[in-house]
Amino acid sequence: MPSSNVCWGIEVGAGAIKALKLEKDADSLRVADFVVIPHKKVLSTPDIDRDDATRVALGALMSQYRDAMRGAAIAVSLPGHSTFARFAKLPPVEPKGVANLVRFEAVQQIPFPIEEVEWDYQTFQSEDSPDVEVGIFACTKERIAERLAVYEEVGLVPDIFSLSPVAVYNAIAYDLGFTPRSPGTVILDIGTTATDLIITDHGKVWIRTFPLGGHNFTQTLEETFKLAYGKAEKLKREAETSKYKRHIFQAMKPVLSELVQDIQRSISYFQETHPESNIQRLIGVGATFKLLGLRKILSQQLQMEVFRLEQFKRLSVEGSAAADFEAATPTLATAYGMALQGLGLNFINANLMPVSVVRKAMWKRKTPWLLTAAGLGIAAGGVSFLRPFLDNAAMARARADNSIQRPINETISLGNRLKSEWQEASAAAQPGMMAQNLLALTDGRGLYTSLLEDVDRMLSAARVFRSPGKPDDTHAVEIKSLDTEYLAPESPLVAQTAAGSGGSDSPAPTTPESGAADLKAGPRGAVRMTLVFDSNHPDRQAFANDTVLAWLRSNATRMGIPYTLEAIPGPAAVRIDTIVAPPGPTPTAPTGGGRRPPPPPPSAPGGRPGGFGGRPRPDDDGGIPLGGTGGGIPLGGGSPSRPSPPGSPPERGSGDSRGQSSLESLAPFPERLIRKPLEGPVYRYSVIWYAQVRDPATEAVPDPSAVTQEPDA
């Protein structure tokens, strides 16, 4: 039986065979021996017989180290591109049921019938999460048998078969002392024909292998410079010291870009499936990682620290071999990890060695002087050794018996159905989401009320406005319409920029201008406010600037108000139209505390009683229908609307007095107002500004100086 304190870790790579012998003494490790035997030609060379080349290199290894391997454990790696590594999240299950659940998951994840593969698994769980993930590692029995046949020809009998990326992770994790709190790390092993990428964070591990390696760079140089494959391989290795290194780098740049893109996609996938991850660094191993320009381009594209493995922290060699060991360090990570697994110092324990081969190796190692003792052991424990063969025979009979297979198949079908139902239920059930949605139903319920109160206050200020030097001069103010339009987050806020003239009833046209084009609705959206009102004050721009606009500027930011006012226009940007006042007296507002009179009934089709497009004329106090009368999305409910053309019939329900009562209860207009009939020239003002919605419970009130306003004329 091999010693548990001595192990040879061996990697049979496409460029060379690397072997490392470690001895464990208490809590320390010692490098007892190491060797790197390059192939005469890289195994990716066209028309090369890979098996023959491997036999030659392994023969050289065994002829030199056969005696040194006697009595030691031997662990050999399998390349990542010839194996499978699959990862899945397990549903909640009792610890004793994990093995059965993992087997069920393995059947689903491995792209071969489960009886045709050798497989093993490892579970991962971070300290601060109840989720359990499983890594499933597998290789076909046929591929393992092919490898073992080649090894047997040269007398190499492994005890452990594991995946190359698993071995690299074990080596780096042990050497750097990984813990669940270590920074998120990407380990990149660029081999000859494929690249192994391992990501570890919060105690979890994820592995991906993609078919791009040093061979692709050599092939590019071969095609670019019209060289033989061997010369192109030599040029790639000597690129750093070559006087043509600039041309070499330019030739390899497309392959470098493809490699970086594969790495970026892999990291992005891991971060999407593990939102809590925080990847901070990349560690490169392997001879190809020395490639010209690779480290620099990775650092630039990935925006993280990139390190190249230069030496091991927990292994060293003294004496004349120290320099050779340090030079070989970047290529020995896989062999290091395999030797650690043989000594039981590994983080991931995945052994794909067939049980029958393990038993055969055990017997082959028995020396002649133990034959008698072995015979006695067989006689005494014959039942225990015979039992597996009896079990295999019983299993073969069971497979042929339909009465036994039927309930097994039914159980498998039931398991598949239950898993599918669990996945559907898990996807549909999101604890707490319904309660959060119900609580959010009342969010923003006071927004429209606040907007109406703003209009009430600014028009009240306009009604009591006195011209400078004329304390007895009063003027009538009458609201015509108030339109509200909700803008989704990131929608542009277009400032009002041009004043109009003439008799149009429509709001002022707007166009983007420098400074306003960068304004956008925030994460909770914004409301576009369009107010149209009439006044007979002769000084038009001063009246607009000193009343409505002054109020907007001074109240742009207030405590307890769920929005800020932005894109407030200057007086020159307000559209002002000259219109003719309707004939006849205008009733005045009540001077007492009584209720306002009900609105007049809607006119017959074709009439325009002081409104737009047949809509009811606002009452004398300036009340407006809840939700506005113009286009956009009314915040108070209802469907979007646009001003109707002259002569169109009134909208349904536009004269309902209950809407006015609801409006008055929400935002009553002030009483005892001084009103004056609209006589002589009447001017119609169209003012547009934006209410930037915010969450007063979580967002700080912004600095009033930061609120965007149009400059005064």
Side-chain angles (χ1 to χ4, degrees), residues 372-509:
T372 302
L376 293 174
I378 292 173
V383 176
S384 63
F385 280 98
L386 185 61
R387 187 67 190 177
F389 299 99
L390 297 176
D391 290 343
N392 288 336
M395 289 294 293
R397 290 194 300 271
R399 291 191 186 98
D401 190 343
N402 290 332
S403 62
I404 296 176
Q405 285 297 312
R406 189 179 300 108
I408 294 176
N409 294 332
E410 290 175 354
T411 302
I412 293 174
S413 299
L414 176 61
N416 287 329
R417 180 172 61 82
L418 292 176
K419 180 184 178 183
S420 177
E421 292 176 356
W422 177 84
Q423 290 175 339
E424 292 177 0
S426 177
Q430 301 183 17
M433 185 62 68
M434 181 178 294
Q436 293 175 8
N437 289 339
L438 289 174
L439 291 173
L441 287 176
T442 59
D443 290 350
R445 62 186 181 275
L447 177 64
Y448 197 76
T449 302
S450 295
L451 292 172
L452 291 180
E453 289 175 349
D454 281 357
V455 175
D456 175 22
R457 294 187 183 100
M458 70 176 69
L459 290 181
S460 296
R463 289 190 180 103
V464 299
F465 176 74
R466 302 290 189 272
S467 299
K470 298 180 180 180
D472 298 329
D473 188 15
T474 59
H475 298 272
V477 177
E478 183 174 286
I479 187 172
K480 304 306 294 182
S481 68
L482 174 64
D483 289 348
T484 58
E485 180 181 0
Y486 176 75
L487 302 178
E490 297 299 320
S491 298
L493 308 186
V494 182
Q496 184 176 353
T497 62
S501 62
S504 173
D505 287 341
S506 61

Side-chain angles (χ1 to χ4, degrees), residues 426-704:
S426 177
Q430 301 183 17
M433 185 62 68
M434 181 178 294
Q436 293 175 8
N437 289 339
L438 289 174
L439 291 173
L441 287 176
T442 59
D443 290 350
R445 62 186 181 275
L447 177 64
Y448 197 76
T449 302
S450 295
L451 292 172
L452 291 180
E453 289 175 349
D454 281 357
V455 175
D456 175 22
R457 294 187 183 100
M458 70 176 69
L459 290 181
S460 296
R463 289 190 180 103
V464 299
F465 176 74
R466 302 290 189 272
S467 299
K470 298 180 180 180
D472 298 329
D473 188 15
T474 59
H475 298 272
V477 177
E478 183 174 286
I479 187 172
K480 304 306 294 182
S481 68
L482 174 64
D483 289 348
T484 58
E485 180 181 0
Y486 176 75
L487 302 178
E490 297 299 320
S491 298
L493 308 186
V494 182
Q496 184 176 353
T497 62
S501 62
S504 173
D505 287 341
S506 61
T510 59
T511 57
E513 67 173 5
S514 61
D518 296 333
L519 297 179
K520 292 183 179 180
R524 298 174 69 88
V527 181
R528 186 176 190 265
M529 307 289 296
T530 303
L531 173 66
V532 179
F533 65 92
D534 292 350
S535 177
N536 60 353
H537 195 286
D539 193 351
R540 292 169 291 176
Q541 288 193 358
F543 177 73
N545 182 59
D546 295 340
T547 58
V548 174
L549 300 183
W551 191 95
L552 289 172
R553 288 192 297 269
S554 61
N555 293 276
T557 304
R558 291 160 287 168
M559 292 292 294
I561 301 299
Y563 51 81
T564 58
L565 306 181
E566 296 192 4
I568 300 171
V574 175
R575 176 170 179 165
I576 306 175
D577 296 321
T578 303
I579 62 172
V580 179
T586 302
T588 59
T591 58
R595 296 182 57 82
R596 69 179 109 191
S603 64
R608 296 184 62 196
F612 294 153
R615 288 183 173 82
R617 177 171 177 162
D619 66 348
D620 295 331
D621 274 354
I624 61 172
L626 185 62
T629 61
I633 304 175
L635 297 183
S639 61
S641 60
R642 297 288 179 192
S644 305
S648 62
E651 290 187 359
R652 181 178 179 182
S654 60
D656 189 354
S657 62
R658 290 175 296 176
Q660 301 292 348
S661 300
S662 300
L663 172 61
E664 184 166 352
S665 64
L666 288 172
F669 281 84
E671 306 293 353
R672 299 184 179 86
L673 294 179
I674 302 174
R675 293 296 305 274
K676 184 175 182 179
L678 291 171
E679 299 174 351
V682 176
Y683 305 106
R684 178 155 295 168
Y685 299 80
S686 299
V687 185
I688 299 174
W689 71 95
Y690 292 85
Q692 187 78 269
V693 184
R694 63 181 183 84
D695 186 357
T698 60
E699 299 178 15
V701 177
D703 185 352

Side-chain angles (χ1 to χ4, degrees), residues 329-341:
T329 293
T331 65
L332 289 175
T334 302
Y336 184 9
M338 293 306 306
L340 288 173
Q341 184 166 349

Side-chain angles (χ1 to χ4, degrees), residues 305-339:
E305 293 183 292
V306 177
F307 304 94
R308 185 171 65 195
L309 181 64
E310 301 289 354
Q311 61 181 9
F312 297 124
K313 295 184 179 298
R314 302 179 71 173
L315 286 185
S316 62
V317 174
E318 298 179 356
S320 59
D324 293 337
F325 181 76
E326 185 173 342
T329 293
T331 65
L332 289 175
T334 302
Y336 184 9
M338 293 306 306

Side-chain angles (χ1 to χ4, degrees), residues 127-451:
E127 296 177 349
D128 53 353
S129 173
D131 295 334
V132 178
E133 293 187 11
V134 61
I136 300 172
F137 313 102
C139 184
T140 61
K141 292 181 177 179
E142 180 182 5
R143 191 178 297 273
I144 291 177
E146 291 173 356
R147 287 264 172 173
L148 288 174
V150 175
Y151 299 160
E152 189 174 9
E153 290 182 22
V154 298
L156 178 63
V157 183
D159 300 289
I160 298 172
F161 257 160
S162 190
L163 286 69
S164 177
V166 170
V168 171
Y169 169 75
N170 283 334
I172 301 299
Y174 175 82
D175 202 66
L176 297 182
F178 278 3
T179 68
R181 301 190 181 279
S182 297
T185 304
V186 178
I187 304 172
L188 192 66
D189 182 8
I190 306 176
T192 301
T193 57
T195 295
D196 295 326
L197 183 142
I198 308 105
I199 302 178
T200 174
D201 190 33
H202 291 90
K204 297 180 181 178
V205 179
W206 183 81
I207 296 172
R208 181 191 173 219
T209 300
F210 46 90
L212 196 155
H215 165 70
N216 299 84
F217 294 99
T218 305
Q219 199 172 38
T220 298
L221 295 178
E222 177 189 21
E223 296 171 355
T224 302
F225 299 112
K226 309 301 180 185
L227 300 173
Y229 189 89
K231 291 185 177 180
E233 178 71 20
K234 182 180 179 182
L235 182 64
K236 180 188 71 174
R237 295 183 180 183
E238 299 174 354
E240 191 70 39
T241 58
S242 173
K243 62 180 179 179
Y244 303 110
K245 66 179 182 179
R246 182 170 171 271
H247 300 85
I248 296 172
F249 176 76
Q250 289 298 326
M252 295 190 301
K253 198 170 183 180
V255 185
L256 282 170
S257 298
E258 185 179 352
L259 175 65
V260 172
Q261 289 174 6
D262 268 324
I263 296 171
Q264 287 176 322
R265 283 195 294 267
S266 301
I267 295 175
S268 297
Y269 175 81
F270 180 82
Q271 290 174 332
E272 288 174 2
T273 55
H274 300 78
E276 75 285 355
S277 63
N278 182 20
I279 310 300
Q280 301 181 20
R281 61 182 178 177
L282 183 146
I283 300 174
V285 301
T288 308
F289 201 80
K290 297 180 179 180
L291 204 62
L292 175 67
L294 176 59
R295 184 174 176 182
K296 181 178 180 181
I297 197 171
L298 283 174
S299 178
Q300 292 174 345
Q301 296 295 323
L302 301 180
Q303 294 296 304
M304 65 174 65
E305 293 183 292
V306 177
F307 304 94
R308 185 171 65 195
L309 181 64
E310 301 289 354
Q311 61 181 9
F312 297 124
K313 295 184 179 298
R314 302 179 71 173
L315 286 185
S316 62
V317 174
E318 298 179 356
S320 59
D324 293 337
F325 181 76
E326 185 173 342
T329 293
T331 65
L332 289 175
T334 302
Y336 184 9
M338 293 306 306
L340 288 173
Q341 184 166 349
L343 297 176
L345 300 176
N346 51 300
F347 285 71
I348 299 179
N349 187 25
N351 188 1
L352 305 185
M353 180 64 69
V355 176
S356 59
V357 177
V358 174
R359 292 197 184 103
K360 183 178 178 180
M362 289 173 59
W363 284 109
K364 194 170 183 178
R365 289 193 179 95
K366 302 296 181 181
T367 54
W369 64 271
L370 287 177
L371 288 178
T372 302
L376 293 174
I378 292 173
V383 176
S384 63
F385 280 98
L386 185 61
R387 187 67 190 177
F389 299 99
L390 297 176
D391 290 343
N392 288 336
M395 289 294 293
R397 290 194 300 271
R399 291 191 186 98
D401 190 343
N402 290 332
S403 62
I404 296 176
Q405 285 297 312
R406 189 179 300 108
I408 294 176
N409 294 332
E410 290 175 354
T411 302
I412 293 174
S413 299
L414 176 61
N416 287 329
R417 180 172 61 82
L418 292 176
K419 180 184 178 183
S420 177
E421 292 176 356
W422 177 84
Q423 290 175 339
E424 292 177 0
S426 177
Q430 301 183 17
M433 185 62 68
M434 181 178 294
Q436 293 175 8
N437 289 339
L438 289 174
L439 291 173
L441 287 176
T442 59
D443 290 350
R445 62 186 181 275
L447 177 64
Y448 197 76
T449 302
S450 295
L451 292 172

